Amino acid sequence: MQEQLDFVDDPMSSPGPEYRGRFAPTPSGPLHLGSLLTALASWLRARQAGGRWLLRIDDLDRARCPPGASALILRQLEAHGLHWDETPRLQSAQGAEYATALERLQAQGRVYSCDCTRARLAAESRSGPDGPVYGGRCRAAQAGSGSAALRWRIASGSVELQDPVQGRLWRDADREIGDFVLRRSDGVIGYQLACVVDEQAQGITEVVRGADLIGSS
């Protein structure tokens, strides 16, 4: 089995003593071979750089995470000799941090309520290189206090990074990414917001991921 990897943030050519990598599985079940390969690659990268390898459990969506799955993943990693260097960070325990971050973004005036149904999203979203792109129906709305989803009003322009493995990655923010969800209508914090808060909290300097997830980087 072959799985392409991509590296985000610090270039491979300049690892330093402050290198901090991470592996962040979703505990929806046991790790499959591709996930173990990614874990091994990120662990080896951290060891090569003389840095630290951290673990984060992406268990925000509790409906997808059966009891015992997190513990099973930890046992799998240990069984393969992949030992983390600090206490694992559980997303489910960081609700206060995410709420604070969301409040700060709302204060900037670029968060708005979206009450689009799944059917409407399927009908009106346009196709993008990384999946459906929100059509912007609710973009003129304000951020309310109800149960609607909250979206980030993305600025126009380009998003670009140079990946040491995949090369130049470029997206038109408005046409190819679109306004993404910060908090779902059921109250669950969106992945993009949670991930940014987590990376900052753990001081992550580089991310090794499967290339199939490059659109979420």
Side-chain angles (χ1 to χ4, degrees), residues 1-3 32-35 37:
M1 174 180 177
Q2 292 182 330
E3 178 160 317
H32 55 71
L33 184 57
S35 296
L37 175 60

Side-chain angles (χ1 to χ4, degrees), residues 63-74:
R64 295 181 56 206
C65 304
S70 296
L72 174 58
I73 287 174
L74 298 185

Side-chain angles (χ1 to χ4, degrees), residues 20-199:
R20 293 171 68 84
R22 58 83 164 157
F23 177 58
T26 297
S28 55
L31 294 177
H32 55 71
L33 184 57
S35 296
L36 281 170
L37 175 60
T38 301
L40 175 60
S42 63
W43 183 87
L44 289 172
R45 173 68 178 130
R47 295 297 175 255
Q48 176 218 9
R52 302 180 73 78
W53 188 66
L54 309 183
L55 185 62
R56 186 181 82 222
I57 303 297
D58 287 359
D59 59 347
L60 271 179
D61 193 343
R62 303 301 293 169
R64 295 181 56 206
C65 304
S70 296
L72 174 58
I73 287 174
L74 298 185
R75 292 196 300 270
Q76 285 183 284
L77 293 173
E78 289 183 317
H80 287 82
L82 303 177
H83 301 288
W84 47 95
D85 295 315
E86 296 179 11
T87 302
R89 178 179 173 89
L90 301 178
Q91 283 192 327
S92 58
Q94 315 307 323
E97 290 187 39
Y98 302 145
T100 297
L102 183 57
E103 289 172 2
R104 290 176 179 172
L105 296 179
Q106 287 179 283
Q108 296 177 16
R110 287 174 59 187
V111 176
Y112 63 91
S113 295
C114 174
D115 60 4
C116 291
T117 63
R118 290 188 178 184
R120 175 170 285 172
L121 290 174
E124 298 184 358
S125 294
R126 57 185 180 272
S127 179
D130 306 305
V133 178
Y134 179 62
R137 169 182 284 269
C138 300
R139 210 167 199 259
Q142 301 298 314
S145 57
S147 60
L150 294 179
R151 288 184 181 272
W152 173 251
R153 190 179 289 109
I154 199 167
S156 60
S158 64
V159 177
E160 181 177 343
L161 63 86
Q162 185 68 32
D163 187 280
V165 175
Q166 300 297 325
R168 178 177 178 263
L169 305 176
W170 184 92
R171 292 288 185 270
D172 181 283
D174 184 52
R175 291 190 303 106
E176 298 181 311
I177 299 176
D179 298 344
F180 50 85
V181 173
L182 299 177
R183 191 196 68 198
R184 297 182 346 194
S185 59
D186 59 3
V188 175
I189 294 294
Y191 172 80
Q192 281 81 0
L193 175 58
C195 186
V196 168
V197 172
D198 294 331
E199 308 291 33

Side-chain angles (χ1 to χ4, degrees), residues 197-209:
V197 172
D198 294 331
E199 308 291 33
Q200 287 188 326
Q202 290 189 296
I204 302 303
T205 60
E206 182 179 81
V207 175
V208 180
R209 310 182 74 192

